[in-house]
Amino acid sequence: MARLVNAYESLMSKYSASYLSDATDSRVALACEIYTVDELRNSPLFDVYAFRINYNDDDINSRGDAEEGDNDTIHTLIDSDVQNRLDPHPVLPIDVHPQDSVSDLKRCIIQQYATAWGLKDRKRDRDGLYLGWELIYGKNHDTDANSHSVLSYHLFLESYGVNNGDILHAVVRK
């Protein structure tokens, strides 16, 4: 019986020390639920990046989300580029489709930023996404922790009511 108990303890300590603590890392999600974006940004534990959603949907104009002309769009992009150079927390554009899943968006983001964010050495989840970062969305999430939520990987962007031009935040554990 003692051998059985020792084998069980050895197995559990092996998996609880590495597999469970890394593979089911929910520390970032918990912090996102508790704190505002400003509090996360000021924390020494996290880096926070803002992304502006640019839907590349062919019928976006038919839905009325973008009724401005091309010249207005160009001026907006130039204005936002100038603002990003002056802003200590720039908003990065990201091109997606409204029916992309959150996992699709996360894959798109990590293709561009995984190395810069230091994610390359981290373990991956079952979808192949690096652990230790989350996407959050909501209104007034800079000042109200209850106004945003962590985006679940299996839902679509339109499931959360994410509109063209909305801001999402990536919260990355350092």
Side-chain angles (χ1 to χ4, degrees):
M1 184 65 162
R3 287 178 45 198
L4 180 62
V5 169
N6 287 339
Y8 176 79
E9 287 175 354
S10 173
L11 184 64
M12 293 309 294
S13 66
K14 174 184 172 187
Y15 285 112
S16 65
S18 63
Y19 176 74
L20 292 176
S21 64
D22 291 338
T24 59
D25 187 358
S26 60
R27 291 175 284 185
V28 178
L30 178 62
C32 291
E33 294 292 335
I34 295 173
Y35 300 108
T36 67
V37 170
D38 284 342
E39 290 170 331
L40 292 167
R41 192 176 280 134
N42 292 325
S43 169
L45 302 175
F46 303 102
D47 287 323
V48 179
Y49 304 93
F51 291 92
R52 181 176 311 284
I53 297 298
N54 293 326
Y55 280 147
N56 55 13
D57 187 4
D58 291 337
D59 64 355
I60 198 163
N61 287 326
S62 67
R63 290 198 320 250
D65 290 346
E67 296 178 8
E68 302 293 327
D70 289 337
N71 289 337
D72 292 336
T73 303
I74 291 169
H75 290 299
T76 302
L77 291 175
I78 291 170
D79 292 343
S80 67
D81 183 47
V82 170
Q83 180 183 0
N84 283 343
R85 280 188 258 136
L86 300 175
D87 188 354
H89 307 292
V91 178
L92 308 167
I94 190 87
D95 294 326
V96 293
H97 191 276
Q99 293 177 346
D100 280 346
S101 69
V102 172
S103 288
D104 293 335
L105 175 57
K106 288 182 94 171
R107 277 188 203 89
C108 181
I109 291 172
I110 62 173
Q111 278 182 332
Q112 296 177 34
Y113 300 103
T115 302
W117 293 355
L119 298 176
K120 291 285 188 173
D121 295 330
R122 296 189 186 185
K123 289 188 176 188
R124 295 178 183 238
D125 65 11
R126 65 181 178 185
D127 292 326
L129 300 170
Y130 293 105
L131 297 172
W133 73 288
E134 297 291 345
L135 286 173
I136 58 175
Y137 172 70
K139 306 294 183 197
N140 301 322
H141 49 262
D142 285 337
T143 56
D144 183 5
N146 295 321
S147 67
H148 63 260
S149 61
V150 176
L151 301 183
S152 180
Y153 66 94
H154 64 282
L155 293 177
F156 300 104
L157 293 174
E158 65 184 7
S159 302
Y160 287 99
V162 176
N163 295 312
N164 193 38
D166 283 353
I167 304 294
L168 300 179
H169 287 89
V171 180
V172 182
R173 188 184 74 236
K174 293 182 182 179

